[in-house]
Amino acid sequence: MTAYRLVGVANNRTWGPDTKNEELVNCCMGDLKKYQFEPSMKFERIGKICDFTSSNYQKNLKDVNKNTNEGANSFEEELQFQTVDLRTGQKQKGNIYNKKKILNKQTTQAFTQKQQEEDNLYSSRIKTAEQKKQKLLLLAKTARINARHRIFTEWSIEPTPVWTVECEMMFNELPKKVIKLEQFKIDDIFFRGRVLYYDKRIENINVKNPPSLIILNKGANCLVCKTKDDQSLMEIVSDEEKNCQGYTTNSSVTTTTNSNNNNNPLLVVSTDQILACLMSCTQSKYSWHLLITKQGNKIIIDKDEDSIVDLLTVNENSIDAPTQDNENKLNSLQALGFEAIKINQRFRKQVLLKNEMAEQYDNISFLSKNSKTSDVLYRYRKINLPPLIHGTSKRNCTLITRGEIHAKIKGTNSSYIYICALNEYDIKSHKNWRSQIENQKGALLANEIRNNTSKLQKFICQALLSGCEDIKLGFISRKNANDAENHNILSIQSHKTKDLSTQIGLKYENIWGILRFIVDNISERPDGKYVILKDPLKALLRLYCTHDDDYH
C-alpha cells in the first residue's frame, strides 16, 4: 500500500468504477486480493440496522448464535448495537378482560340475611324459645373452644409467695441426660402379696359380640398407696441408713456433717407410680406436683392427697383433649380419669384364673383391715443408679422402690405380666374402635400411641420397675356413649416390654438418666421440704423450697 496512486474513473452509467472495464478493475482492485476478507460482510446485513424493536432485535441475536458459519468477531460487533426505542410492547388483552364481572346476588343476599339473623340473635329482643336455645348452644361452643386453650393453664397447686424457686429443668434438655446401662444394677429385696395365673382364653374375642367388663363393689380402693404409708419401704430405708457411713442417729432423725454429705451415697425412696411420672415427664401436658423431703443423704419422693398423679389421663396428647367444662359431665377431664382407673382395676381382675394361685407371700403392710386381700404381687427392689455420662456429680445413688405385678403366665415360660388398658369414650365418631379393631390393629395402636403417649410411657416405666417382661394391653369401650359404668372388652394385645418401648421411642438409658438428673438437683439443696411442679404453661419442671417443715 506504500505505492499508492490515484486513478481517475469516468463512468456515466452507474456509481463507482465500471465493472465491464477489466483493465480498470485490475488496476484498482488487484492489490486487494492478497487480503483475506471475512466471509460475512457488514453490508450483507445492512438492512437490519433500521430494525429498532426489542423483540425482533433479540430474535436476530439468537439467529446469530445459531449460525455456526459466522465468526466470533461479527457476533461481538453485533452486541455493540443498542436499541433506541425502549418502549415495552403493549400487552394484548384476552377475552377474560372483555368479560364483565357477574356478581352473585344470591350469595350477597344470603350473607346479608345471615348477618341480620345474628344481630337479632344477640339483641335483647329475643322472643322465641328456639332463639334462646340457639344462643345457649353458641355460648357453650365458644366456652369449649376457649377451654381447649385454658385446660393446660390450670395449676395442680398454687405456689405461695413464701416459696422460692431453686431450679428449673427444661424438657428440651432432658433427652440429653443418659447413663451407662453397664453399671446399672437391680436386686430384689422381698415380695409381698399374692399373684394368680393369667387366663389366655379371654383373648379369643368376637368384636360383634364382645364380652362385658365386670363391675366391682363401690367400696373397692382404686388409689395407690403413698410412699410414707408403706411401712415395708420405711423399714428398708432405715436398714440402708445403718449401712451407710457417716451417719449418726439422734432420736428419729438422721443427720450428717457437711463434709460427709458430698461423699456418702444418696438414698432415694419412692413408689413405681411416682417414679414413672418423673421418668416420662417430657410427654406430660397437664400440671402435677410431687412432695419431696430431704434429710441428709436421704430423699423421700411422695405424692399429695387426691393428687392428679393418681388419675389416668385420657387422650392427653391428642389435639382434641377432653376439657373440664365439657357439656357432658361424664366426659370431663376428672370424670374420665376416675373412669380409666376403674376400668384398669376391673380389667386386671377379669383376666385372672380364679382360685389358681401362682405365688403367695406375706400380706402387704398398707392394706386396711376392712378391705379384702388384693390379687397383686408387690416387688420391693434395690436399684444402683449410676451417675450421668456428662454429669458433675459422681456420687453413688441407691434407689428403693416398690413395683406391681398383676399376673403370671402359666407354663414353662413363667414370666410376670403387667396388665393395663386403654378406654374409648366417644363411640359415635367415624373412626371408632369397633370399625378398626379387626382389620386395622396396627393403625389403631399407632393412633393411640400418638394420643396417649404420656400414659403408655408410664405403663412401660412401671412394668420396667416391677420387672415384668410382658405387657397385656386391653382396648375397652363403652356400651353406651352416655354410660360410664358398663363397658365391653374389644381386644387384648400382647407385647414385650422392650419391643413396645422401642415402638414408642422410649430409651432405657434416657429415662434412668432423667431420674438421676432430678435426684442430683435435689441432692445439691439443703435439708428441708420441697415441691417439684410441672408448669402448665411451659415445658419444664420447677423445684420449689417451701421453707415450712410442717407443709407435708
Side-chain angles (χ1 to χ4, degrees):
M1 298 295 291
T2 56
Y4 179 79
R5 58 192 180 90
L6 184 63
V7 179
V9 177
N11 187 4
N12 297 327
R13 293 186 299 107
T14 59
W15 290 95
D18 191 1
T19 56
K20 294 182 179 182
N21 190 353
E22 296 180 358
E23 182 179 359
L24 181 61
V25 171
N26 293 332
C27 181
C28 296
M29 307 294 291
D31 295 334
L32 296 177
K33 293 182 180 180
K34 60 183 179 181
Y35 297 101
Q36 295 182 1
F37 284 83
E38 293 179 353
S40 177
M41 302 297 290
K42 285 185 181 180
F43 56 81
E44 293 181 0
R45 298 191 305 275
I46 196 168
K48 298 181 181 179
I49 296 176
C50 299
D51 194 356
F52 296 115
T53 59
S54 60
S55 60
N56 293 333
Y57 182 69
Q58 296 295 334
K59 184 177 180 181
N60 294 334
L61 290 180
K62 293 179 181 179
D63 295 337
V64 172
N65 294 332
K66 293 180 181 179
N67 190 359
T68 57
N69 296 327
E70 295 178 357
N73 296 331
S74 62
F75 179 71
E76 292 178 357
E77 292 177 357
E78 188 69 25
L79 292 177
Q80 293 177 1
F81 288 94
Q82 296 182 358
T83 57
V84 179
D85 188 3
L86 299 177
R87 292 178 298 175
T88 58
Q90 187 177 3
K91 295 183 180 179
Q92 296 181 358
K93 295 183 179 181
N95 296 330
I96 190 172
Y97 293 95
N98 298 328
K99 293 181 180 180
K100 295 182 179 180
K101 294 183 179 180
I102 301 174
L103 297 177
N104 193 350
K105 297 182 180 180
Q106 185 177 1
T107 305
T108 307
Q109 293 176 358
F111 177 78
T112 306
Q113 184 179 0
K114 183 179 179 181
Q115 191 173 10
Q116 291 178 356
E117 291 177 358
E118 290 179 356
D119 294 338
N120 295 333
L121 184 63
Y122 288 101
S123 63
S124 59
R125 299 178 181 179
I126 299 177
K127 299 179 181 180
T128 62
E130 185 66 23
Q131 288 179 334
K132 291 182 180 179
K133 184 178 179 180
Q134 290 180 2
K135 181 180 179 180
L136 293 175
L137 291 176
L138 187 60
L139 292 176
K141 183 179 179 180
T142 306
R144 287 199 308 272
I145 295 173
N146 296 333
R148 287 194 182 98
H149 303 282
R150 193 177 65 252
I151 183 173
F152 301 123
T153 62
E154 297 177 356
W155 296 76
S156 62
I157 186 173
E158 289 289 342
T160 62
V162 183
W163 293 7
T164 57
V165 179
E166 296 293 330
C167 67
E168 291 183 351
M169 292 164 276
M170 306 296 294
F171 282 177
N172 56 1
E173 298 178 358
L174 295 182
K176 304 175 185 177
K177 311 299 179 182
V178 292
I179 63 170
K180 292 183 179 180
L181 294 179
E182 294 81 6
Q183 302 176 1
F184 185 77
K185 185 180 179 182
I186 301 179
D187 296 324
D188 291 335
I189 301 176
F190 53 76
F191 292 85
R192 290 290 184 269
R194 65 178 187 177
V195 63
L196 303 178
Y197 285 112
Y198 176 74
D199 189 4
K200 295 183 179 180
R201 296 173 298 177
I202 199 170
E203 295 184 0
N204 300 326
I205 298 174
N206 184 9
V207 181
K208 296 181 180 179
N209 188 18
S212 300
L213 189 67
I214 61 173
I215 299 178
L216 300 178
N217 297 329
K218 294 183 179 180
N221 186 16
C222 301
L223 303 180
V224 182
C225 175
K226 295 173 60 176
T227 304
K228 292 184 178 180
D229 294 341
D230 191 349
Q231 297 179 4
S232 299
L233 276 177
M234 295 296 103
E235 291 176 359
I236 297 172
V237 171
S238 61
D239 294 339
E240 289 292 331
E241 282 181 329
K242 295 177 182 178
N243 298 331
C244 294
Q245 297 179 358
Y247 281 84
T248 57
T249 306
N250 295 325
S251 65
S252 61
V253 181
T254 304
T255 59
T256 59
T257 59
N258 294 331
S259 60
N260 292 331
N261 278 341
N262 297 327
N263 299 325
N264 292 325
L266 294 172
L267 184 61
V268 183
V269 56
S270 185
T271 61
D272 60 339
Q273 182 193 36
I274 298 172
L275 294 178
C277 187
L278 291 174
M279 296 163 75
S280 62
C281 63
T282 55
Q283 297 296 333
S284 60
K285 301 297 181 182
Y286 302 135
S287 177
W288 47 267
H289 68 280
L290 298 174
L291 309 179
I292 298 171
T293 303
K294 184 178 183 299
Q295 297 177 356
N297 292 335
K298 181 178 66 175
I299 299 174
I300 301 175
I301 306 176
D302 207 346
K303 61 182 180 180
D304 205 349
E305 294 290 343
D306 300 330
S307 175
I308 194 175
V309 179
D310 289 322
L311 299 180
L312 292 176
T313 59
V314 180
N315 293 346
E316 180 178 355
N317 303 96
S318 175
I319 300 175
D320 298 328
T323 59
Q324 186 61 31
D325 52 351
N326 195 294
E327 288 183 357
N328 190 352
K329 294 183 179 180
L330 295 176
N331 297 336
S332 63
L333 179 63
Q334 188 174 6
L336 289 175
F338 281 111
E339 182 183 358
I341 294 175
K342 293 179 182 179
I343 287 174
N344 277 267
Q345 189 181 28
R346 296 172 184 176
F347 180 65
R348 289 165 183 169
K349 285 276 188 181
Q350 190 166 352
V351 298
L352 300 177
L353 287 172
K354 309 301 179 185
N355 301 325
E356 291 194 23
M357 192 70 61
E359 296 180 12
Q360 186 173 7
Y361 300 92
D362 296 338
N363 293 332
I364 53 180
S365 58
F366 52 85
L367 187 64
S368 60
K369 297 181 180 180
N370 297 329
S371 59
K372 297 181 181 180
T373 304
S374 176
D375 296 329
V376 178
L377 183 63
Y378 293 93
R379 192 176 193 175
Y380 293 84
R381 314 185 84 184
K382 178 181 177 181
I383 302 174
N384 182 20
L385 200 59
L388 296 172
I389 293 179
H390 300 291
T392 57
S393 177
K394 302 299 180 182
R395 300 171 64 183
N396 295 329
C397 180
T398 302
L399 177 63
I400 308 297
T401 184
R402 180 197 71 219
E404 294 183 0
I405 299 173
H406 301 127
K408 189 176 182 180
I409 296 178
K410 190 175 183 179
T412 56
N413 185 17
S414 57
S415 61
Y416 294 123
I417 303 175
Y418 188 86
I419 301 172
C420 53
L422 300 173
N423 59 303
E424 180 191 29
Y425 66 94
D426 188 10
I427 62 175
K428 293 183 179 180
S429 62
H430 65 284
K431 289 185 178 181
N432 53 40
W433 289 0
R434 287 175 173 83
S435 61
Q436 295 180 327
I437 204 70
E438 288 184 341
N439 302 325
Q440 299 177 354
K441 288 185 178 181
L444 177 61
L445 179 61
N447 187 40
E448 292 305 312
I449 289 174
R450 182 172 60 254
N451 294 336
N452 296 282
T453 308
S454 178
K455 181 165 66 173
L456 286 173
Q457 285 192 1
K458 289 180 183 178
F459 287 154
I460 294 175
C461 291
Q462 288 181 266
L464 181 64
L465 289 168
S466 59
C468 295
E469 298 178 359
D470 297 303
I471 293 179
K472 299 292 183 180
L473 184 61
F475 291 85
I476 299 174
S477 177
R478 290 180 181 178
K479 289 184 178 180
N480 188 1
N482 296 324
D483 187 4
E485 293 295 330
N486 299 314
H487 301 82
N488 287 329
I489 303 175
L490 301 182
S491 176
I492 300 176
Q493 295 184 6
S494 301
H495 299 277
K496 290 291 183 181
T497 306
K498 291 184 178 180
D499 296 341
L500 187 59
S501 62
T502 304
Q503 189 172 358
I504 292 179
L506 198 65
K507 298 180 180 179
Y508 287 174
E509 61 271 14
N510 178 235
I511 57 178
W512 291 115
I514 292 173
L515 184 60
R516 180 59 196 256
F517 177 70
I518 295 173
V519 170
D520 289 343
N521 282 327
I522 299 172
S523 63
E524 296 173 357
R525 314 299 165 189
D527 294 353
K529 304 285 186 177
Y530 296 89
V531 173
I532 188 167
L533 176 63
K534 162 66 175 64
D535 194 297
L537 301 176
K538 300 178 182 179
L540 57 86
L541 294 176
R542 283 197 183 94
L543 182 64
Y544 290 92
C545 181
T546 60
H547 300 285
D548 186 6
D549 295 338
D550 298 332
Y551 175 68
H552 51 81

